[in-house]
């Protein structure tokens, strides 16, 4: 059995992200965009679930239906379009790398262009996550929600 010291918290040691129990093997800028998108997908899903659970209707069917509205390729493409004017030059470059990467074939129900944009969004979120820029992720997520907070 492992003790609490088996996974040192790097944030407590002055470095970045309190959820990153394991640092990536490479610097963030060297990680394959598909790998960044893999992590970004999980982080974005977590943010969506936290947001939905903060709302009054917590029935599982409702949560799933609402989550799908935010995590589908089509929805993520629309969110990325909302983010574009707010991105830094570095973030826009990460988005471009994510969009242009070969990430396999899209799901049957996803448009290939939407899927590439969703991969780009997830790539950016993964990059920001590994860099410990959780505040920036929160800012972008609030832009993504826009007026939704009042509408839901």
């Amino acid at each position: 059995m492992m003790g609490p010291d088996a996974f040192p918290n790097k944030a407590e040691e002055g470095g970045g992200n309190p959820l990153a129990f394991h640092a990536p093997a490479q610097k963030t800028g060297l990680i394959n965009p598909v790998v960044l998108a893999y992590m970004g997908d999980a982080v974005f899903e977590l943010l969506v679930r936290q947001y939905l659970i903060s709302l009054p209707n917590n029935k599982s069917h409702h949560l799933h239906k609402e989550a799908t509205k935010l995590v589908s390729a089509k929805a993520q493409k629309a969110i990325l379009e909302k983010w574009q004017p707010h991105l830094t030059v570095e973030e826009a470059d990460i988005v471009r790398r994510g969009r242009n990467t070969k990430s396999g074939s899209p799901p049957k129900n996803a448009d290939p262009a939407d899927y590439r944009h969703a991969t780009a969004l997830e790539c950016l979120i993964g990059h920001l996550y590994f860099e410990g820029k959780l505040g920036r992720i929160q800012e972008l997520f609030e832009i993504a929600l826009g007026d939704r907070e009042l509408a839901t």
Side-chain angles (χ1 to χ4, degrees):
M1 189 159 144
M2 295 184 187
D5 296 332
F7 301 104
N9 188 327
K10 300 295 182 197
E12 291 173 3
E13 297 171 11
N17 188 337
L19 292 177
F21 297 121
H22 304 280
Q26 307 173 7
K27 290 185 179 200
T28 309
L30 301 175
I31 298 174
N32 184 318
V34 173
V35 175
L36 292 174
Y38 175 73
M39 179 56 77
D41 175 58
V43 171
F44 194 77
E45 178 80 25
L46 178 65
L47 292 173
V48 167
R49 288 179 182 211
Q50 286 178 345
Y51 165 69
L52 293 174
I53 289 170
S54 77
L55 300 175
N57 188 352
N58 284 330
K59 295 181 179 144
S60 62
H61 176 72
H62 176 76
L63 291 171
H64 176 73
K65 197 169 85 172
E66 292 300 309
T68 303
K69 292 178 186 177
L70 291 167
V71 299
S72 70
K74 184 177 181 178
Q76 287 183 341
K77 178 187 177 193
I79 290 168
L80 185 60
E81 288 172 355
K82 284 176 81 171
W83 286 357
Q84 288 294 344
H86 304 280
L87 298 179
T88 66
V89 172
E90 179 189 13
E91 291 167 347
D93 186 55
I94 295 161
V95 165
R96 182 190 50 75
R97 283 181 51 219
R99 187 183 62 239
N100 293 337
T101 195
K102 302 283 186 239
S103 60
S105 18
K108 292 177 188 173
N109 62 343
D111 175 83
D114 291 352
Y115 186 71
R116 282 194 308 277
H117 284 90
T119 301
L121 176 143
E122 293 168 349
C123 181
L124 175 59
I125 295 294
H127 184 276
L128 293 171
Y129 173 81
F130 281 131
E131 287 293 303
K133 297 181 178 178
L134 302 183
R136 181 61 175 150
I137 293 173
Q138 183 177 1
E139 287 173 21
L140 291 172
F141 193 70
E142 288 171 2
I143 293 168
L145 293 177
D147 297 328
R148 184 178 170 83
E149 291 175 291
L150 303 173
T152 306

